[in-house]
Amino acid sequence: MKSKLKKVFMTLSLVLMVGIIFISIGGCGKNIDTSGNYIDLTNMNSTMVYSQVYNMLSSPNEYKGKTIKASGTHSVYYDDATNTTYHAIIINDALGCCSQGLEFVLSNGNYPKKNKYITVEGVFGTYKENGTTYCYLKSSKIV
């Protein structure tokens, strides 16, 4: 009996994993065009947004110069070593177990309150700091 239950559990687990992969790759049937110069992440489901931001941070050269629109929770981090305050939107995956942060710099310097849900639009770029390359949205505005 235990062996049969184990087989059923393993089969259901496999079907669930394949389904999640299919949804992640297929985007629930939506065609998301990221080849243009404007990428609107606000029209994607949470799994697609998380995957897209992960891809941006993994392959930043593919996105440099493109205008990105994204929504998330405003996060603030102050680094003593650089004496700099960093602002980012935090984007969660569909299950809420994983998140990606996307740094942004507002053109007007008028940042919202921490933990507020916001939509930001800016030009994707990179910068180096202490030998590490970071991705961010420059010339950003809250929309």
Side-chain angles (χ1 to χ4, degrees), residues 8 36 45 69 104 136:
V8 170
N45 68 42
K69 182 179 178 184
F104 65 93
Y136 75 119

Side-chain angles (χ1 to χ4, degrees), residues 34 39 41-42 44-60 63 68-71 89-92 99-103 124 135 137:
T34 59
I39 300 172
L41 300 176
T42 63
M44 298 179 191
N45 68 42
S46 58
T47 301
M48 286 300 298
V49 172
Y50 177 82
S51 299
Q52 188 68 49
V53 172
Y54 178 84
N55 194 42
M56 287 177 185
L57 301 177
S58 301
S59 305
Y63 296 91
I68 309 293
K69 182 179 178 184
S71 297
I89 55 171
I90 305 301
I91 301 166
N92 293 318
S99 62
Q100 292 286 339
L102 185 56
E103 184 182 348
F124 190 86
C135 301
L137 298 180

Side-chain angles (χ1 to χ4, degrees), residues 65 103-107 121-126 136-141:
E103 184 182 348
F104 65 93
V105 176
L106 291 179
S107 297
E121 186 176 272
V123 178
F124 190 86
T126 61
Y136 75 119
L137 298 180
K138 57 187 173 180
S139 305
S140 298
K141 61 184 178 182

Side-chain angles (χ1 to χ4, degrees), residues 24-126:
S24 296
I25 293 170
C28 294
K30 291 184 182 180
N31 263 337
I32 306 299
D33 181 15
T34 59
S35 62
N37 287 326
Y38 185 80
I39 300 172
D40 186 352
L41 300 176
T42 63
N43 289 330
M44 298 179 191
N45 68 42
S46 58
T47 301
M48 286 300 298
V49 172
Y50 177 82
S51 299
Q52 188 68 49
V53 172
Y54 178 84
N55 194 42
M56 287 177 185
L57 301 177
S58 301
S59 305
N61 290 335
E62 294 178 26
Y63 296 91
K64 279 186 180 177
K66 294 184 180 190
T67 299
I68 309 293
K69 182 179 178 184
S71 297
T73 304
H74 178 222
S75 179
V76 180
Y77 171 73
Y78 178 78
D79 187 350
D80 290 323
T82 60
N83 194 30
T84 304
T85 300
Y86 300 93
H87 298 268
I89 55 171
I90 305 301
I91 301 166
N92 293 318
D93 70 346
L95 299 176
C97 65
C98 303
S99 62
Q100 292 286 339
L102 185 56
E103 184 182 348
F104 65 93
V105 176
L106 291 179
S107 297
N108 65 10
N110 188 16
Y111 290 92
K113 291 183 179 180
K114 183 179 178 181
N115 296 325
K116 183 176 180 180
Y117 191 83
I118 59 173
T119 299
V120 176
E121 186 176 272
V123 178
F124 190 86
T126 61

